[in-house]
């Protein structure tokens, strides 16, 4: 079983910055993609950014140029540096990882519990 623990959320003023972290722990053979999603009240969960084990990244158009996703494969940790935050970025941010339990296993997905990001003056 794999667990994801997120940290780094909080309150920030518009234009400010936050850095989210998500660490994977537990028993697994390999982690492939790790990413961040967000869900605002009354809206569907949406992709913010993701990164695969080779370092290839993908961003939502709304955050390109302001957010940066990175990962430390040795530590099984993914980071999201969020700059120039806007009020529309206020949401619960969830970490997601795709992994294999064993060498011959199929891919499985796990979500973190979420961390609140509040953007307000």
């Amino acid at each position: 079983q794999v667990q994801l623990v997120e940290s780094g959320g909080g309150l920030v003023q518009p234009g400010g910055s936050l850095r989210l972290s998500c660490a994977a722990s537990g028993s697994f053979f390999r982690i492939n993609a790790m990413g961040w999603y967000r869900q605002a009240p009354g809206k569907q969960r949406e992709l913010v950014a993701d990164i695969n084990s080779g370092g290839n990244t993908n961003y939502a158009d709304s955050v390109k140029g302001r957010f940066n996703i990175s990962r430390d494969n040795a530590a099984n940790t993914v980071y999201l540096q969020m700059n120039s935050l806007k009020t529309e970025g206020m949401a619960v941010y969830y970490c997601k990882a795709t992994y294999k339990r064993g060498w011959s296993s199929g891919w499985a997905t796990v979500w973190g519990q979420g961390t609140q990001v509040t953007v307000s003056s």
Side-chain angles (χ1 to χ4, degrees):
Q1 192 73 8
V2 175
Q3 297 84 39
L4 300 178
V5 178
E6 300 128 330
S7 61
L11 172 65
V12 64
Q13 292 185 343
S17 297
L18 279 176
R19 188 189 194 211
L20 305 182
S21 300
C22 170
S25 63
S27 178
F28 54 88
F29 172 70
R30 178 188 169 192
I31 294 179
N32 186 16
M34 299 186 78
W36 291 94
Y37 291 69
R38 65 187 179 191
Q39 187 167 19
K43 294 188 177 181
Q44 289 188 334
R45 192 173 298 188
E46 62 177 2
L47 171 71
V48 177
D50 61 18
I51 182 169
N52 65 17
S53 57
N56 296 309
T57 59
N58 179 42
Y59 293 91
D61 287 343
S62 60
V63 306
K64 284 180 181 177
R66 299 186 296 117
F67 290 14
N68 183 68
I69 189 169
S70 61
R71 67 188 282 175
D72 181 340
N73 288 330
N76 298 308
T77 300
V78 64
Y79 306 96
L80 184 68
Q81 177 66 43
M82 304 185 293
N83 300 321
S84 303
L85 278 159
K86 303 177 181 180
T87 55
E88 51 263 41
M90 184 163 61
V92 177
Y93 283 69
Y94 296 90
C95 179
K96 174 186 171 183
T98 304
Y99 69 98
K100 280 192 171 188
R101 293 183 178 89
W103 178 77
S104 60
S105 301
W107 293 102
T109 297
V110 61
W111 290 88
Q113 293 295 312
T115 183
Q116 176 71 47
V117 172
T118 301
V119 185
S120 175
S121 56

